[in-house]
Amino acid sequence: MQISDRPSQSTITEKLDLPARVASVKRTTGETDVTVSLNLDGVGNCKANTGIPFLDHMLHQISSHGLIDLDVHAVGDIEIDDHHTNEDVGITLGQALKQALGDRKGIVRFGHFLAPLDEALVQVALDFSGRPHLSYGLEMPTQRVGSYDTQLVREFFVAVANNSLMTLHIRQLAGINSHHIIEAGFKAFARSLRMATEIDPRRVGEIPSSKGVL
């Protein structure tokens, strides 16, 4: 049981009479069939079945530490390799985030977190700016974690950033174990995502930009 006097995001959105921040996106190509459903004001419930066990593990990190209810199902040509499925899950997740955020009124907009995992330390900063960009600084010492190609981490985050219209910076401050580095990165991303998408009670109904538009 969690004891806190801080209201949950679902309580805040209900109290402020805001629409539910949910989305469901299906993307089908000649290579993959991906469905992503999410609730930004969830409690961290996650179902992930992509056919790529390590990616499923990382999606659970996003859900658990971002407090996002997430349901991801993917069928892809993993008999070739994991690239298409990994990328298309990132694309569909990014599209679902964009859909759930809508006009982005009232959100904090910026998020940042520094996550340690044993010897690894990774920093993430992000901005739902409407201008997609990824600056990526993870350096894995091995080509694979189990059967997962570590190059695919960058491809996943490129896809998420481009399709959610997010500016995303990922920096590695320490780390010698590829699994630890990647997982610290996903945990830092999740906490940054949680911060950026939360509703700012002082800015409800307003676009969080001095320009008045994102």
Side-chain angles (χ1 to χ4, degrees):
M1 181 175 66
Q2 184 177 11
I3 300 174
S4 174
D5 58 1
R6 184 185 183 196
S8 68
Q9 277 293 291
S10 59
T11 301
I12 290 173
T13 55
E14 289 170 7
K15 185 177 180 180
L16 297 173
D17 195 27
L18 300 175
R21 301 192 301 162
V22 298
S24 186
V25 177
K26 182 176 177 63
R27 184 174 191 272
T28 302
T29 73
E31 299 165 340
T32 65
D33 188 351
V34 181
T35 303
V36 173
S37 299
L38 60 80
N39 177 5
L40 290 177
D41 303 307
V43 295
N45 293 328
C46 184
K47 295 179 182 178
N49 183 9
T50 66
I52 307 172
F54 188 77
L55 179 59
D56 290 347
H57 180 43
M58 293 303 104
L59 291 170
H60 276 272
Q61 304 310 309
I62 292 175
S63 174
S64 176
H65 297 285
L67 289 181
I68 296 171
D69 291 342
L70 188 60
D71 191 341
V72 181
H73 182 77
V75 177
D77 55 359
I78 56 176
E79 71 279 2
I80 297 174
D81 68 10
D82 294 341
H83 187 282
H84 297 146
T85 303
N86 177 89
E87 181 178 34
D88 286 2
V89 168
I91 289 171
T92 312
L93 176 60
Q95 291 173 348
L97 286 169
K98 181 176 181 290
Q99 184 182 109
L101 285 169
D103 58 16
R104 309 188 186 202
K105 287 181 179 178
I107 65 169
V108 172
R109 176 180 160 178
F110 298 94
H112 62 90
F113 199 80
L114 187 62
L117 180 56
D118 297 347
E119 89 298 342
L121 184 63
V122 177
Q123 181 182 45
V124 168
L126 62 84
D127 173 15
F128 278 102
S129 61
R131 299 182 302 276
H133 173 80
L134 173 67
S135 184
Y136 181 82
L138 298 187
E139 297 181 2
M140 265 72 72
T142 61
Q143 185 176 350
R144 295 191 178 273
V145 174
S147 61
Y148 186 79
D149 185 344
T150 55
Q151 294 183 84
L152 296 183
V153 177
R154 184 183 185 281
E155 300 308 313
F156 176 84
F157 282 118
V158 166
V160 172
N162 283 344
N163 287 275
S164 64
L165 305 183
M166 171 199 303
T167 297
L168 176 60
H169 289 256
I170 305 174
R171 288 287 178 269
Q172 178 181 331
L173 282 73
I176 58 174
N177 179 286
S178 295
H179 189 138
H180 292 170
I181 293 165
I182 297 170
E183 187 165 335
F186 271 84
K187 287 178 175 176
F189 173 74
R191 288 301 298 262
S192 300
L193 189 63
R194 175 180 168 184
M195 179 187 295
T197 59
E198 285 190 341
I199 297 296
D200 184 346
R202 299 173 61 192
R203 214 169 202 171
V204 174
E206 296 181 7
I207 297 293
S209 170
S210 59
K211 297 189 297 290
V213 64
L214 288 173

